[in-house]
Amino acid sequence: MRRFAQVLVLVALATAGIAAGAVLAPGGSASPSGSAATTTKITVTATEFKFKLSRTNAPTGTVIFTVVNKGKIAHDFKIAGKKTTTLSPGKSFTLKVRFAKSGRFAYLCTLSGHASAGMKGVLQVGGTPVTVTATEFKFKLSRLSVPAGPVTFTVTNKGKIAHDFRIFGKKTPTLSPGKSFKLNVTFAKKGRYAFLCTLAGHAAAGMKGVFSVAAPAVTTTTTTTTTTTTNTTTTTTGGTGTLQGDPVAGKSVFAANGCGSCHTLAAAGSSGTVGPNLDQAKPSQAKVRQYVQNGSTSGGISMPAFSNMSQTDLFNVAAFVYASTH
């Protein structure tokens, strides 16, 4: 009888073990049967000739776009190979798109001439990627400015001793030489955010800096031009507040085209006196683009037109000048 009871106990334990195995992964960690899919809702308002999105970044997963035509003529909306129907004024359409990977996804109105008039932009899915390389005793970032939203820092220690990376209250573990770590940080507001290595003496030796976050990109236009743009840095806004290009890349464009030989701009280290002092003039991004692309003549002094400059470089240099003077 006692032996029979022992057999029953063993059978019960085995059964319990099988049941536990269905719930627990090796090591005792819970293994969920499936993670809840992320669903994000974005409202897209179409008018002439602009789109306004309730947000211009989203995590990977499903995005439900509610597209409303508040204009006076027909429009549509296309992104990631999916498109609404042609919407008459006052009509709306719900478009569901699954984004499995992070990236920048262009959107536009496909009706003839509408995109070139301004109805296009870019949605950032997942974190904006930034590569951080640590050595003795400095950090090198692939970019120092991003729009507000999620950012994924890939930090790699290429030095000979341990380092870490801290920004906005979040920090990597201490990284041995050759190791890397992905740090996800969400910046909800524009601003300047200090970063540093927290290991004793490393920041004082040079492992620190400042990371700039611009206001969230707003995909609207306030002016209509006949120039077809392919700029996909941030927006097509003709106003002043939101950076419409990458100011870090724009600094290189400014230098490569010899702008400093004619203009004074402290951020570029230039002191040219042929043209206007940009620190004093404080031109808008639209003005910079206009003068660079079309040239200008004032007071007997002519500025040549850089008509062969790409739209990306044009927007980037305008963003650099604006960010440096406002």
Side-chain angles (χ1 to χ4, degrees):
M1 176 65 85
R2 179 175 297 175
R3 181 176 179 80
F4 179 70
Q6 290 175 338
V7 171
L8 287 177
V9 171
L10 289 173
V11 171
L13 288 173
T15 303
I18 292 172
V23 177
L24 299 179
S29 300
S31 177
S33 58
S35 57
T38 300
T39 299
T40 304
K41 295 182 179 181
I42 297 179
T43 300
V44 181
T45 303
T47 54
E48 290 74 54
F49 284 97
K50 60 186 177 183
F51 284 121
K52 182 176 181 181
L53 277 64
S54 59
R55 58 184 294 174
T56 54
N57 58 70
T60 53
T62 299
V63 178
I64 299 176
F65 298 94
T66 300
V67 185
V68 182
N69 183 1
K70 291 190 176 181
K72 297 180 180 179
I73 61 176
H75 297 294
D76 64 15
F77 179 81
K78 180 177 180 178
I79 187 169
K82 292 196 174 184
K83 188 175 76 71
T84 68
T85 57
T86 299
L87 302 175
S88 301
K91 299 297 183 181
S92 63
F93 189 94
T94 299
L95 189 68
K96 183 182 290 188
V97 183
R98 171 73 179 170
F99 296 96
K101 297 181 179 180
S102 298
R104 292 168 60 81
F105 295 85
Y107 58 81
L108 76 161
C109 177
T110 69
L111 275 64
S112 179
H114 289 203
S116 61
M119 298 191 75
K120 60 182 177 179
V122 175
L123 178 74
Q124 174 68 48
V125 175
T128 300
V130 177
T131 300
V132 182
T133 302
T135 54
E136 288 76 53
F137 284 96
K138 61 184 178 182
F139 284 119
K140 182 178 180 180
L141 278 65
S142 59
R143 57 189 299 176
L144 288 168
S145 178
V146 298
V151 178
T152 299
F153 296 95
T154 300
V155 185
T156 303
N157 182 1
K158 291 189 177 181
K160 297 179 180 180
I161 62 175
H163 298 294
D164 64 16
F165 179 81
R166 178 186 174 97
I167 188 169
F168 197 41
K170 292 197 172 184
K171 188 177 77 70
T172 69
T174 299
L175 301 175
S176 301
K179 298 297 183 181
S180 62
F181 187 88
K182 288 186 181 295
L183 188 68
N184 295 308
V185 183
T186 297
F187 299 96
K189 298 180 180 180
K190 68 176 182 178
R192 291 168 60 80
Y193 298 86
F195 59 83
L196 76 160
C197 176
T198 69
L199 274 64
H202 289 204
M207 298 191 75
K208 60 183 177 179
V210 177
F211 189 72
S212 296
V213 176
V218 179
T219 54
T220 63
T221 55
T222 56
T223 60
T224 299
T225 68
T226 57
T227 302
T228 300
T229 67
T230 56
N231 177 60
T232 57
T233 302
T234 50
T235 76
T236 53
T237 306
T240 56
T242 301
L243 291 178
Q244 296 145 27
D246 184 347
V248 176
K251 184 176 182 179
S252 298
V253 177
F254 189 92
N257 287 276
C259 302
S261 63
C262 293
H263 299 282
T264 293
L265 182 61
S270 63
S271 55
T273 58
V274 177
N277 182 318
L278 298 177
D279 290 317
Q280 296 175 356
K282 300 183 184 298
S284 68
Q285 293 173 87
K287 280 291 185 184
V288 174
R289 293 197 299 270
Q290 176 186 339
Y291 290 147
V292 171
Q293 189 168 48
N294 302 320
S296 175
T297 300
S298 178
I301 299 173
S302 295
M303 173 179 171
F306 292 80
S307 55
N308 292 328
M309 182 177 291
S310 72
Q311 289 296 306
T312 297
D313 284 351
L314 183 65
F315 273 72
N316 288 346
V317 73
F320 167 61
V321 172
Y322 179 80
S324 301
T325 56
H326 289 77

